[in-house]
Amino acid sequence: MEARPVGAAAELSMAGLHASLSDPALESMNFLNEVASRYPQAISFASGRPCEEFFDIALIHQYIDSFCDYLRNELGYAEPRLSQALFQYGRTKGIIHELVARHLAVDEGIHVDPESVVVTVGCQEAMFIVLRALRRDERDVLLAISPTYVGLTGAARLVDMPVWPVRSGRSGVDLDDLVEQAARARAAGLRPRACYVMPDFANPSGATLSTEDRQRMLEVAGQQDLLLLEDNPYGTFGNGTRLPTLKALDTGRRVVYLGSFAKTGFPGARVGYAVADQRVIAADGTVSLLADELSKIKSMVSVNTSPVAQAVVGGKLLENDCSVIKANVRETAVYVNNLSQVLDGLARRFPPESAGAGISWNVPGGGFFVVVTLPFAVDDTMLEYSARQHGVLWTPMSHFYGAGNGTHQVRLAYSQLTPDRIEAGLERFTALVADAQQRAAAGSARA
Ligand SMILES: Cc1ncc(COP(=O)(O)O)c(C=O)c1O
């Protein structure tokens, strides 16, 4: 190698850095945030953030106090152990694991040993540590119901684990395709380890799986020896009867359950968790819990989840009998109303016999997202145009697929908007659609 001049500045070649850094999945969130920051006046149907109406700084203090009362009165902590619990490095698997297990029992009918809960820095860390553990070598692949959450794709890229899409079909999961993809992977000498799925009000599709499909999915997972990675950040934000989670139906420890308090608590706390009650058998026959193996990885990623953040989430749980449903009655009402306003607003503006010809959308039962299918292609360039010319932001669905899919679809997130902003945003979106249709017609007339 040629000697470089003394004092020459370091330069790195992208080709010499981890492949994930050149992957569109890792650029996706930054790109969307960056467009939003350039057009602050635009009404955003792009971000699936919780509503901000009930944020209140005083609550943070109140929740910490409630959690300290719990440590004192329920767990018998005296000083200095109490201050140590919040100020010091802490237990890697977390300090609110008992409360998380109570919440799962109360809200989801999931009964797990608190020792199988790993409290993480958001659900994002839970996804990362689970995939890190499952990816032994280049033969391991992850199946995921497509379209899928971009944070999952990104986490898989970080651990060099290919994601194989499984068709969602009309019902939210095509179980024949799941079997076929697992078989194809095996035929190619690969090991399908798990399938990632959001059974309730999925991000981005809004789809919900029927109870029969959930049961069949567990059967297929057993037959195919797959784990199911169940991600459920939106499941409590529905307007009807709740269906059992996969984990509640799971009698064979097939499901690793991924939880987030970003929407049921608040995202700034960065608290999530994994429930990993699977047994891990070592070469010498000793048995451990997958949660304990995950905790080894976590100890080298984030050491432990901030106890201050856990105290805030723990306090919120304690004040609501460990029910996030109870804690979010007002928020759920906002989301449910926003959803019907968006659906009504689309129906009014795009009647099938006139302006809505070729335009359709799904009708989710809850969550944060609606998907609109358009008669013309949409992409990042059109998103920029939409922000600049029409003052409205949304997410091209292509961000949630591998190349070449979702080209005519947009995701509308309505969770953070007020009724006025939804109406104004839909007006702007309607103007964009008319504009794009005119431009498409003019283009085809010229061609
Ligand atoms: C499906 C899904 N999983 C996980 C997350 C990330 O959750 P957290 O903020 O707890 O990391 C999100 C956030 O939007 C999500 O939509």
Side-chain angles (χ1 to χ4, degrees):
M1 195 184 129
E2 216 178 288
R4 289 173 46 88
V6 175
E11 273 179 9
L12 304 174
S13 127
M14 187 57 104
L17 299 181
H18 190 251
S20 63
L21 295 174
S22 331
D23 195 287
L26 271 78
E27 278 161 32
S28 178
M29 284 197 200
N30 285 346
F31 168 75
L32 295 169
N33 289 337
E34 190 263 326
V35 176
S37 71
R38 266 190 294 131
Y39 300 98
Q41 303 310 324
I43 295 179
S44 178
F45 286 108
S47 91
R49 296 175 170 205
C51 72
E52 298 178 358
E53 207 180 323
F54 309 111
F55 287 175
D56 176 359
I57 289 288
L59 283 173
I60 292 184
H61 302 273
Q62 182 186 312
Y63 292 148
I64 292 180
D65 288 343
S66 295
F67 186 72
C68 289
D69 287 344
Y70 156 80
L71 292 182
R72 265 188 221 102
N73 304 332
E74 258 192 72
L75 302 191
Y77 281 31
E79 290 289 349
R81 194 167 170 210
L82 181 64
S83 26
Q84 220 171 35
L86 266 75
F87 279 86
Q88 212 25 298
Y89 288 111
R91 180 176 176 273
T92 311
K93 287 199 291 181
I95 56 173
I96 59 166
H97 50 305
E98 305 264 359
L99 302 178
V100 171
R102 267 193 234 171
H103 143 61
L104 289 171
V106 169
D107 285 330
E108 306 291 355
I110 296 174
H111 300 278
V112 287
D113 180 351
E115 282 302 320
S116 62
V117 175
V118 186
V119 183
T120 52
V121 180
C123 180
Q124 189 65 34
E125 187 189 37
M127 293 191 288
F128 175 79
I129 62 177
V130 169
L131 296 183
R132 177 63 283 167
L134 292 179
R135 200 274 186 190
R136 166 84 192 186
D137 61 40
E138 63 287 346
R139 284 168 296 177
D140 296 309
V141 294
L142 175 72
L143 306 176
I145 310 300
S146 180
T148 200
Y149 175 54
V150 74
L152 180 275
T153 314
R157 296 283 189 272
L158 293 186
V159 302
D160 297 310
M161 195 169 191
V163 180
W164 280 38
V166 172
R167 279 202 296 265
S168 44
R170 294 182 68 78
S171 69
V173 60
D174 179 338
L175 289 162
D176 293 336
D177 196 46
L178 173 58
V179 173
E180 191 173 323
Q181 295 308 327
R184 269 190 55 215
R186 291 204 177 94
L190 303 172
R191 285 186 299 239
R193 300 301 308 267
C195 180
Y196 172 81
V197 55
M198 285 168 275
D200 294 280
F201 317 134
N203 178 9
S205 70
T208 291
L209 306 190
S210 68
T211 307
E212 299 72 53
D213 276 347
R214 292 170 199 234
Q215 254 140 3
R216 280 199 54 219
M217 197 168 186
L218 282 162
E219 281 162 29
V220 170
Q223 285 153 5
Q224 298 289 327
D225 197 15
L226 294 170
L227 288 175
L228 298 177
L229 310 185
E230 177 177 30
D231 189 3
N232 187 21
Y234 306 102
T236 55
F237 302 127
N239 58 6
T241 319
R242 297 197 53 221
L243 300 180
T245 59
L246 288 169
K247 189 67 188 160
L249 297 169
D250 177 25
T251 50
R253 298 188 184 182
R254 282 280 151 204
V255 179
V256 175
Y257 186 85
L258 304 171
S260 171
F261 290 109
K263 314 292 150 72
T264 55
F266 59 100
R270 305 304 306 127
V271 178
Y273 60 94
V275 177
D277 55 0
Q278 290 69 24
R279 285 153 47 94
V280 178
I281 323 287
D284 66 1
T286 47
V287 179
S288 62
L289 263 181
L290 179 59
D292 289 313
E293 303 308 318
L294 297 181
S295 134
K296 291 183 199 165
I297 299 173
K298 180 177 167 62
S299 74
M300 292 297 156
V301 177
S302 59
V303 183
N304 58 250
T305 302
S306 158
V308 180
Q310 292 186 73
V312 178
V313 170
K316 182 164 186 176
L317 288 172
L318 285 159
E319 290 191 12
N320 292 282
D321 304 321
C322 287
S323 169
V324 303
I325 296 175
K326 184 171 171 188
N328 286 282
V329 170
R330 293 175 307 177
E331 288 81 352
T332 304
V334 168
Y335 302 141
V336 167
N337 287 336
N338 284 4
L339 169 59
S340 40
Q341 196 187 339
V342 167
L343 294 174
D344 293 349
L346 288 171
R348 254 184 290 117
R349 289 173 175 87
F350 299 111
E353 61 285 359
S354 53
I359 301 177
S360 60
W361 51 91
N362 63 339
V363 180
F368 283 16
F369 312 105
V370 169
V371 175
V372 182
T373 303
L374 295 161
F376 49 84
V378 289
D379 58 12
D380 290 350
T381 309
M382 185 176 282
L383 170 62
E384 289 231 39
Y385 178 80
S386 172
R388 192 174 61 246
Q389 292 297 120
H390 294 282
V392 63
L393 293 160
W394 33 268
T395 309
M397 281 290 284
S398 49
H399 282 257
F400 307 104
Y401 284 97
N405 284 310
T407 52
H408 287 54
Q409 292 187 315
V410 303
R411 187 193 74 174
L412 300 183
Y414 48 76
S415 47
Q416 210 193 349
L417 295 172
T418 58
D420 287 353
R421 302 278 286 171
I422 291 177
E423 266 339 280
L426 288 178
E427 275 305 300
R428 294 178 187 191
F429 182 69
T430 308
L432 166 77
V433 170
D435 180 358
Q437 280 179 311
Q438 265 167 19
R439 284 170 7 127
S444 59
R446 268 199 304 276

